Amino acid sequence: MRSGRFEIRLFKLLIICIACIGLTIEPSATLAEHYQMKQQSNSTIQDQESSAYQAQTAVTQDRPKSLSELRRSYSETFKFKGPEVKQVALTFDDVPDPRFTPQILEALSKQGVRATFFVVGHRVKKHPDLLRRIHNEGHVIGNHSYSHPQFSNKSVIQFQKEIQRTEDIIAELIGYRPRLIRPPYGEITENQVRWAKQHGYKLVNWNVDSLDWKGINKEKVKKNVLNAAGPGSIILMHGGGGTGSNLAGSIEALPDIIHELQAKGYQFVTLPELLDVSQSK
């Protein structure tokens, strides 16, 4: 009888021990599962963060660079101003134009100032003698495309053709191929800048805009230039325009602009002199 009771007690004790062991194992298994879940959660968060970063990077790479970003990325190729010296450069776009270019040349000759003229290819074809005159009077020729398109809407091949077609015409007339390019409207893409860099060109925009293309009067042109000009400034003016253009205010303002900046100690130079580059390739 006692043996039976002992066996029953021993059986109960065994059950209690098994239960205790189960309680001991259960938390351990739960902790392991919790750790595994936490690791999986961390991995998921890292994957999400990585995907978000990759998506953000892709958006950044797909977005076209702004002009200021291009200027920083290609500072040796894409210029907006010269060094901080008491020199400024007058530049005239959209030439040659028989309505305005001869008047500008006369004004510059009277002041003894040389400038840089960015020529449009199809206009050079119509007025080759005016291009020769600009060159013979000591001014520098730059390339302003053949048809004056907005390059930001053109492919690299189209950009290349516009530049080279104008370059061929210029070379035939005055004997050199310009190193300087000014994109119409100042707009250009990164791939076009890369092509220009690979082929030894310099792209030149401006940091002083006369806004003379608007047909504004003499005093407004003077104010726009003189209020913004400083050491190393590249001044944008125009020597030609479309049908109905009126550059009278710009032509009238030119002598005063020259006199007032010279009185402040500034020297007028061509872009190759200001940027220390050759005018030809």
Side-chain angles (χ1 to χ4, degrees):
M1 197 69 177
R2 286 180 180 177
S3 175
R5 289 176 181 176
F6 176 78
E7 289 175 355
I8 292 171
R9 288 177 182 175
L10 183 63
F11 179 72
K12 288 182 178 179
L13 181 62
L14 182 62
I15 291 174
I16 291 170
C17 288
I18 291 172
C20 290
I21 291 171
L23 289 174
T24 304
I25 293 172
E26 178 71 20
S28 298
T30 303
L31 284 173
E33 290 172 359
H34 176 72
Y35 177 77
Q36 185 177 7
M37 290 174 63
K38 186 175 181 181
Q39 289 293 95
Q40 291 174 346
S41 176
N42 288 341
S43 177
T44 301
I45 292 172
Q46 289 174 355
D47 290 343
Q48 290 173 345
E49 289 176 346
S50 177
S51 298
Y53 175 77
Q54 290 173 358
Q56 183 179 2
T57 302
V59 169
T60 302
Q61 289 175 344
D62 290 341
R63 178 182 60 80
K65 285 187 177 179
S66 66
L67 287 177
S68 60
E69 289 172 329
L70 289 175
R71 183 169 97 177
R72 289 193 296 270
S73 299
Y74 301 91
S75 58
E76 290 303 310
T77 299
F78 201 6
K79 301 292 186 179
F80 287 66
K81 69 186 295 288
E84 294 288 322
V85 293
K86 277 273 192 165
Q87 293 180 334
V88 294
L90 287 170
T91 66
F92 296 90
D93 283 8
D94 300 346
V95 296
D97 187 326
R99 298 170 297 171
F100 309 115
T101 307
Q103 297 179 67
I104 291 169
L105 290 172
E106 289 166 12
L108 293 173
S109 178
K110 288 178 181 178
Q111 305 303 322
V113 167
R114 293 186 304 132
T116 304
F117 288 77
F118 286 96
V119 306
V120 178
H122 77 86
R123 290 189 167 184
V124 173
K125 286 193 74 173
K126 292 180 181 178
H127 311 289
D129 289 342
L130 260 180
L131 179 75
R132 292 191 185 97
R133 178 179 171 184
I134 295 169
H135 172 65
N136 291 338
E137 293 187 12
H139 304 290
V140 170
I141 303 297
N143 193 325
H144 199 39
S145 81
Y146 183 83
S147 62
H148 205 275
Q150 189 162 345
F151 281 147
S152 56
N153 297 328
K154 301 294 181 181
S155 68
V156 174
I157 293 176
Q158 290 170 318
F159 170 77
Q160 174 186 340
K161 288 180 178 178
E162 285 276 339
I163 296 304
Q164 292 182 333
R165 188 176 181 185
T166 302
E167 184 178 292
D168 290 342
I169 297 169
I170 294 169
E172 185 177 348
L173 290 171
I174 63 173
Y176 74 84
R177 298 178 179 274
R179 182 177 297 276
L180 304 179
I181 297 173
R182 172 166 287 166
Y185 315 104
E187 295 292 334
I188 197 165
T189 69
E190 183 171 15
N191 287 336
Q192 293 163 359
V193 174
R194 284 178 182 156
W195 181 88
K197 178 179 179 180
Q198 289 168 359
H199 291 82
Y201 295 98
K202 296 290 183 182
L203 299 163
V204 186
N205 273 5
W206 58 87
N207 71 315
V208 177
D209 192 346
S210 68
L211 298 177
D212 58 353
W213 59 271
K214 292 184 175 183
I216 57 181
N217 63 34
K218 169 184 175 179
E219 293 306 316
K220 288 183 178 178
V221 174
K222 283 176 57 178
K223 181 179 178 181
N224 290 340
V225 173
L226 295 175
N227 285 355
S233 283
I234 298 173
I235 301 169
L236 170 63
M237 303 183 78
H238 289 79
T243 303
S245 295
N246 180 9
L247 295 177
S250 185
I251 295 166
E252 292 169 5
L254 189 54
D256 288 355
I257 290 171
I258 293 171
H259 290 155
E260 294 194 31
L261 287 175
Q262 285 177 334
K264 294 178 180 179
Y266 287 96
Q267 177 189 8
F268 284 85
V269 295
T270 65
L271 278 177
E273 291 170 326
L274 181 67
L275 302 176
D276 193 26
V277 298
S278 63
Q279 66 181 9
S280 62
K281 288 177 63 185

